[in-house]
Amino acid sequence: MRLWIMNPLAILADDAGGGLVVEGGRIVELVPAGRVPLQPVDERFDASRHVIIPGLINTHHHFFQTLSRAHPKAYNSELFPWLVALYPIWGRLNRDMFRIGARLAMAELLLSGCTTAMDHNYMVFKGLEDATDIEVEEARALGLRATITRGSLSLSQKDGAVPPDHIVQDEETILADSERVLQTYHDTSDGAMTQIALAPCAPFNVSREVMRSSVELAERYDCRLHTHLAETEDEEAFCKATFGYRPIDWLEDCGWLQPRTWLAHGIHFTADDCSKLGHHGVGVCHCATSNAVLASGFCPTLELEAAGSPVGLGVDGSASNDGSNLMEEVRHALMVNRLGYRSADRVTHRDALRWATKGSARCLGRDDIGEIAPGKQADLALFTLDEMRFSGQHDPIAALVHCGATRADRVMVAGIWRVIDGAIPGLDVSALIAEHTAAARIFD
């Protein structure tokens, strides 16, 4: 079936004022303003009220943390005390809680215009050994494109690390399950709906053996590698005291300084670090809201991009953002970067949107998403400007970011409408919230 999404109010694509044509899950034609498609279409959708942008791509999150939002034991803390407060709480997760946390996080992302969801889950322990399987199932049920990472913790309190002993796994178990989920779910084909990446958590809670063995698996199965790095000054002090060198040197020693890798946060990088990361094609996920909430610092986005590193966006864990809204993250990225660079023109709304689309796609190693162009996957987010916040706007694309769009009216993934009139068909949101709220009470 050929669908013409016609005559949008605005579209983030060149020479497409007349809209676009979707067929077989792909964009097959861009229609110039005042024109009609070159070939007959089977169906039309009037987009004259809509601003169309590529589906947003999230490149760092922790779905389970939706269950510990605004927790009084942690909400006025920086990263390390925040982790000390929350790890014992998260250690009480069970399968039902984990599933409902993932479902709500993905639904929230989808409603914000996100079409590809990534999760960095490192909570895999006794009773929750199938965490990766659960997330894949939930993504498929919602129709989301997903990169699910098999995260890991191998160092605990007995090793001088923060995680409780019962939530870590030994290296053999981690690597065996990593290989299992890669064999079961990882799809390297163009247009893949499910991909797996390997994501040991951070320098202060995983061993170098896990890091190095993950590289071997990544090369064997052609998957991506992900971890937290250079998020806080405390992390840098830990690496110097433990390894005798800085976090980026730890990364290099583990064999991760390579194009398969993308990092979360990337705040405390020097100019030389940025050059090195760019030279090796290492991507960085900018988590503007989380970095602000935890007072972690400012990611040198422009320096990283100039050096050649892909820069994407991520909402990060909902307990350090308290939301899973990627469109809102775009606005926060604009504001944080303008404040950080003390400039009103070095970072624009189009830069922030590029990070959330093309940049995020590059972080995930994908060239089939993140752009409205012929041949790309038909992943689209459509927003209306009917709310008071948009009244008086003069540039619809800029208005999405500057005026604070938060909820898409329509979202298409692989050519299928997954959000219609601001709602996910078949999802009882009231029941989801009630179940999620009840699950979160266990963390009181």
Side-chain angles (χ1 to χ4, degrees):
M1 184 192 76
R2 289 173 59 84
L3 167 66
W4 179 17
I5 302 175
M6 56 187 294
N7 302 325
L9 179 63
I11 184 169
L12 192 59
D14 294 332
D15 202 21
L20 67 149
V21 178
V22 173
E23 183 178 18
R26 294 181 184 275
I27 298 166
V28 295
E29 183 183 352
L30 300 185
V31 182
R35 305 279 186 86
V36 298
L38 296 174
Q39 298 179 25
V41 298
D42 303 296
E43 189 174 333
R44 303 179 184 209
F45 175 77
D46 180 4
S48 58
R49 294 174 52 244
H50 294 89
V51 180
I52 306 177
I53 62 174
L56 303 177
I57 301 167
N58 190 51
T59 54
H60 187 66
H61 203 355
H62 308 293
F63 293 163
F64 71 88
Q65 290 183 15
T66 58
L67 294 158
S68 55
R69 289 170 165 163
H71 202 289
K73 290 187 177 180
Y75 54 48
N76 292 325
S77 301
E78 296 180 9
L79 180 64
F80 271 34
W82 180 86
L83 290 171
V84 169
L86 288 175
Y87 263 128
I89 292 171
W90 296 335
R92 289 149 53 194
L93 271 172
N94 60 44
R95 292 179 78 255
D96 291 340
M97 294 170 68
F98 184 85
R99 183 180 291 279
I100 200 66
R103 186 179 304 165
L104 186 130
M106 283 189 264
E108 190 177 4
L109 284 168
L110 184 57
L111 289 167
S112 76
C114 175
T115 53
T116 299
M118 174 272 181
D119 191 48
H120 183 184
N121 176 53
Y122 44 81
M123 301 300 285
V124 187
F125 52 86
K126 187 175 182 179
L128 199 51
E129 293 93 343
D130 61 342
T132 306
D133 308 78
I134 290 172
E135 291 195 334
V136 171
E137 290 168 8
E138 292 297 323
R140 288 177 173 175
L142 284 171
L144 261 174
R145 206 178 297 279
T147 293
I148 305 299
T149 73
R150 204 301 182 180
S152 56
L153 300 166
S154 64
L155 302 177
S156 66
Q157 290 174 350
K158 70 179 185 306
D159 306 301
V162 174
D165 295 340
H166 79 279
I167 68 171
V168 306
Q169 294 179 309
D170 62 69
E171 294 155 7
E172 184 178 345
T173 300
I174 290 168
L175 297 171
D177 192 58
S178 295
E179 187 161 16
R180 177 188 70 83
V181 297
L182 283 166
Q183 291 175 342
T184 306
Y185 300 116
H186 185 50
D187 181 0
T188 59
S189 65
D190 190 72
M193 291 296 293
T194 305
Q195 294 192 332
I196 301 295
L198 301 182
C201 186
F204 44 84
N205 53 36
V206 294
S207 67
R208 277 180 283 192
E209 288 72 19
V210 168
M211 293 288 290
R212 290 167 178 163
S213 295
S214 294
V215 171
E216 295 174 7
L217 284 174
E219 291 173 350
R220 195 185 319 163
Y221 289 95
D222 189 19
C223 77
R224 307 295 280 182
L225 296 163
H226 183 63
T227 192
H228 298 91
L229 201 80
E231 184 175 359
T232 67
E233 292 175 338
D234 288 341
E235 178 190 322
E236 181 153 334
F238 172 88
C239 286
K240 287 180 177 178
T242 305
F243 310 125
Y245 46 57
R246 299 175 56 245
I248 193 169
D249 301 312
W250 173 81
L251 195 76
E252 185 170 18
D253 183 51
C254 293
W256 278 52
L257 210 56
Q258 57 160 293
R260 290 189 188 279
T261 301
W262 90 101
L263 309 170
H265 301 288
I267 295 169
H268 298 282
F269 286 141
T270 66
D272 286 344
D273 294 340
C274 292
S275 295
K276 181 180 283 191
L277 291 163
H279 176 73
H280 290 281
V282 176
V284 176
C285 173
H286 178 34
C287 304
T289 307
S290 174
N291 295 347
V293 168
L294 296 176
S296 298
F298 172 69
C299 174
T301 50
L302 298 185
E303 291 83 352
L304 287 162
E305 273 199 315
S309 285
V311 172
L313 286 190
V315 298
D316 197 15
S318 291
S320 61
N321 177 325
D322 301 308
S324 302
N325 190 309
L326 191 51
M327 192 64 222
E328 185 178 73
E329 192 71 24
V330 173
R331 185 170 192 255
H332 289 177
L334 173 67
M335 303 307 172
V336 165
N337 277 270
R338 287 192 169 182
L339 182 62
Y341 285 111
R342 299 184 181 181
S343 170
D345 62 0
R346 289 189 67 191
V347 176
T348 71
H349 64 279
R350 287 181 177 263
D351 292 320
L353 285 167
R354 184 185 70 254
W355 292 336
T357 53
K358 288 184 183 179
S360 285
R362 287 185 64 202
C363 282
L364 298 182
R366 301 194 65 152
D367 61 8
D368 56 345
I369 57 176
E371 186 178 2
I372 298 176
K376 304 293 184 180
Q377 290 292 305
D379 291 3
L380 305 167
L382 284 68
F383 294 82
T384 59
L385 303 182
D386 300 337
E387 300 172 64
M388 283 192 289
R389 72 177 69 203
F390 299 113
S391 182
Q393 62 80 23
H394 296 272
D395 181 333
I397 299 289
L400 291 181
V401 183
H402 283 271
C403 302
T406 59
R407 188 155 181 156
D409 182 65
R410 288 238 171 185
V411 177
M412 174 179 282
V413 184
I416 300 173
W417 293 117
R418 296 299 184 180
V419 173
I420 298 174
D421 297 331
I424 300 172
L427 181 69
D428 186 334
V429 174
S430 296
L432 174 60
I433 293 172
E435 187 177 355
H436 186 270
T437 299
R441 293 284 74 84
I442 297 174
F443 285 167
D444 285 344

